Amino acid sequence: MPEGKDELFKKLSDSVVYMDESLTVQLSNEVIDKGYDAYEAIEKGLSDGMERAGKLFEEEEYFIPELLMCSDAMYAGLDILKPHIKTKESGEKHRVVIGVVEGDTHDIGKNLVKIMLETSGFDVIDLGRDIPPQKFVETAKEVEAKIIALSTLMTTTMEGMSEVIRILNTLGIRESFKVMVGGGPISQSFADKIGADGYSINAAEAVRLARRLVGGAA
Amino acid sequence: MSTLSPKERLLRVLNKQKTDRPPVICTGGMMNAAIVDVMNKTGHTLPQAHHDDTLMAELSNDVHQQTGFENFGIPFCMTVEAEVLGSEINFGTLACEPKIEKEIFPSASKVEFKDINNMLKGARVNTIVQSGYRLSKKYPDVPVIGNLTGPISTAASIVDPIPFLKELRKDKENAHKVIDYVSDFLIEYSRLMIENGVTLISIGDPTATGEILGPKMFEEYAVRYLNKVIDGIHSMGAPVIVHICGNMNSVKHLVPQIKSNALSTDALVNLRLLKEEFPQITTMGNLSTFLLEFGTPDKVAGQTERLIRDGIDIISPACGLSTSSSLDNITAMTSTVKEN
């Protein structure tokens, strides 16, 4: 009896969780060869695997190196499956503009949040690291983003976050965007103090927060 | 014992000897205390002072005089090692500290190993070593703290950190090779500082946290190479302080293996409980830098008193200070310790 579809998706999910990039590639090719739906394979295989990896990360079973390797496996599978998606995904994806505030070149956390948001169906525009406050606002306006996500690892650069919000206020467009903040020295009380819409302690929580801020699924 | 000089007091604590009271210090480096308030008063400013040994010594002394911290701390950034090892640096502004513009190597396997003695002849190393020499000669009673960016963070400042973190698992051989090379460099750089008058070395390794690495890799890489550097410095007769960032939850059981003379932690860590669990550790910390920036002198003094009551061995900020912290808050901290 040939291997069932769900069984293959489960294996695909496992290969992401176990950081096995070559197996993920092999299984993704198998999905195509057998004529299974690529979109379903992404959802029930790759994304499911990343979600499980995110859970292990929260449970402190996995740490950042592991999560990065899971995401490598996930992206490798995505490269194979994406061209085979038949039906267009329904509706527009919510856009997020993300970056590390000026003065800080640590971007490990930001990259993780970006990966987790992407795997959860957000359209993420990554500005990179060491980004001046003005640039966040300009880009968010330009791409009509729903969310501006600001990250920093350094106490010394936290001020850049409140500057973004000040600029939004000055331009009278604060209500057009949700601002979420995170990173080592950031706390809920800091987020409240600067008037951000939300704070998340890690990448998995950031996804839940982003979903909440846009009012439901990505 | 009221006649102890700041240097004697700190060295005694690091040597587990009795003192009249805890020292109050801010190491420099990752915990740079050259705040805007200080620089605006004296006109000895950054980023110029990163490159000029006289100015660096003067600014260190300004910080010491105005904040009340009982030490000198050089340099004012965490980029010297990465610069010497080849990465591109942006020196920032008065209020914004220098940072790595671009890590020079895309992966651990691509790192070129250069001659360490040659690298130590570089201009920036010379600036710091000369500045340490000046300070130690001019003010023999004040400890000069030479700061290192730890082995894991320095490695992740010359190799793009995202591939590097994966290589800690995927390409252990090259990851070990690079961190070992970086550690050798750090030891020789410390030697140069110590031979020229620096009293002790403080290591900050913000990439080497439990949250980032997890316990397995913290043990395999962070503990191993921190200890390699510490052993190297101890063999020169100088004490070492290590600062661990983050909440330490997943790696707390490994922390006693670190052979430094004192352990400094983030504000998230309850040092009193850490002391109870591991009485052998000389603790340092951990006044919230959030409080130092946004709090009031009253609150700062209150929290400082709590740290003293808890028996923390060395009182210090918990993390890098914001350059916009107020001098009033910082002096509230230092004077509380001194008047206690």
Side-chain angles (χ1 to χ4, degrees), chain A residues 33-105:
Chain A
D33 291 345
K34 292 193 169 156
Y36 295 144
D37 183 51
Y39 188 75
E40 205 183 342
I42 292 172
E43 215 183 342
K44 294 184 178 161
L46 300 178
S47 294
D48 182 71
M50 240 4 242
E51 201 165 317
R52 288 163 61 202
K55 196 146 182 275
L56 289 171
F57 177 69
E58 285 195 293
E59 289 163 353
E60 300 203 333
E61 186 75 33
Y62 276 10
F63 293 88
I64 290 179
E66 288 82 6
L67 206 52
L68 288 172
M69 287 174 68
C70 292
S71 78
D72 274 4
M74 191 264 318
Y75 280 120
L78 213 52
D79 283 345
I80 292 165
L81 292 173
K82 235 182 181 167
H84 296 276
I85 296 178
K86 288 173 196 133
T87 48
K88 270 209 147 184
E89 292 160 50
S90 57
E92 279 264 298
K93 285 182 171 185
H94 292 301
R95 290 225 165 94
V96 181
V97 171
I98 193 169
V100 180
V101 296
E102 185 168 28
D104 195 340
T105 56

Side-chain angles (χ1 to χ4, degrees), chain A residues 2 7 31 40 70 73 75 80 86 91 96-97 103 109 119 142-143 150 158-159 190 193 204 213:
Chain A
E7 212 173 314
V31 168
E40 205 183 342
C70 292
Y75 280 120
I80 292 165
K86 288 173 196 133
V96 181
V97 171
T119 57
E142 199 180 300
V143 303
L150 306 169
M158 287 159 63
E159 182 52 27
F190 176 77
K193 188 183 152 73
L213 291 177

